[in-house]
Amino acid sequence: MEFYLDTANIDEIKEAVSWGVINGVTTNPTLVAREEGRSFHEIIKEICNLVQGPVSAEVISMDLDGILKEARELAALDPHVVVKIPITPQGLAAVRILSGEGVHVNVTLVFSALQALLAARAGAAYVSPFIGRIDDTGQEGIDVLCDIMDVVNNYQFTTRVIAASIRHPRHVLESARLGTDIATVPFKVLKQMFRHPLTDRGIERFLADWEKVMK
Ligand code: E4P
């Protein structure tokens, strides 16, 4: 499983990259809006430079011409840019055209296996089911992810599945058990994944015992 960081915050990305476990980054309009005072394109270019891996940047147009224009501008920023497009009929029409041009697309706001199948059929490089937001509706996000892994693998699509809208480490664990290609995690969840009380206690004890060793 690869880990992407789900953020547009440069400090978080720098720190997580320095830990050696981050393969890419996903952003969305809400995450970018939190980084006030900087242009969207400037942020995306800096993230690409830091991560040197796939960086998802989302379009906000809803019509085909607008999606294509934004997507091509984003893709021209850096070879690592993956254009993120919400799943709509116009969105998938754009995916078909863009994938033919060699642009990698991450189809986002996916909440069902049928949506994922359509995205894969259209030529999406990535598909992002939103696990946490499905949980919020009272349905099991992980069950939907399980269906998606089944149907994508049934047909040998090359589309990679990104478990998104991750809220806690258990979401990551369950996604990994299903063989999900990628989990995109908020910085807080990445830090939680490192932690175990026995690790903390073990380090404390080793350090305390080391004080007794004759040096
Ligand atoms: C993924 O690509 C999205 O940016 C993200 O995971 C959305 O998560 P949220 O439901 O916590 O906003």
Side-chain angles (χ1 to χ4, degrees), residues 6 26-28 31 84 106 108 128 130 133 164-167 184:
D6 195 28
T26 51
T27 68
N28 65 39
L31 295 171
K84 215 174 176 190
N106 173 0
T108 189
S128 291
F130 277 36
R133 292 195 200 183
S165 187
I166 296 272
R167 300 277 165 79
T184 187

Side-chain angles (χ1 to χ4, degrees), residues 25-83:
V25 165
T26 51
T27 68
N28 65 39
T30 304
L31 295 171
V32 172
R34 286 187 197 146
E35 307 308 307
E36 289 168 17
R38 299 198 60 197
S39 86
F40 176 35
H41 286 188
E42 203 181 291
I43 293 174
I44 295 299
K45 279 200 277 187
E46 185 168 358
I47 296 174
C48 288
N49 190 36
L50 287 170
V51 177
Q52 296 296 314
V55 174
S56 290
E58 191 158 339
V59 300
I60 46 125
S61 294
M62 286 295 129
D63 63 296
L64 180 58
D65 287 346
I67 295 171
L68 290 173
K69 180 172 180 293
E70 273 189 69
R72 288 172 181 141
E73 281 168 8
L74 288 169
L77 292 176
D78 189 286
H80 292 110
V81 167
V82 173
V83 178

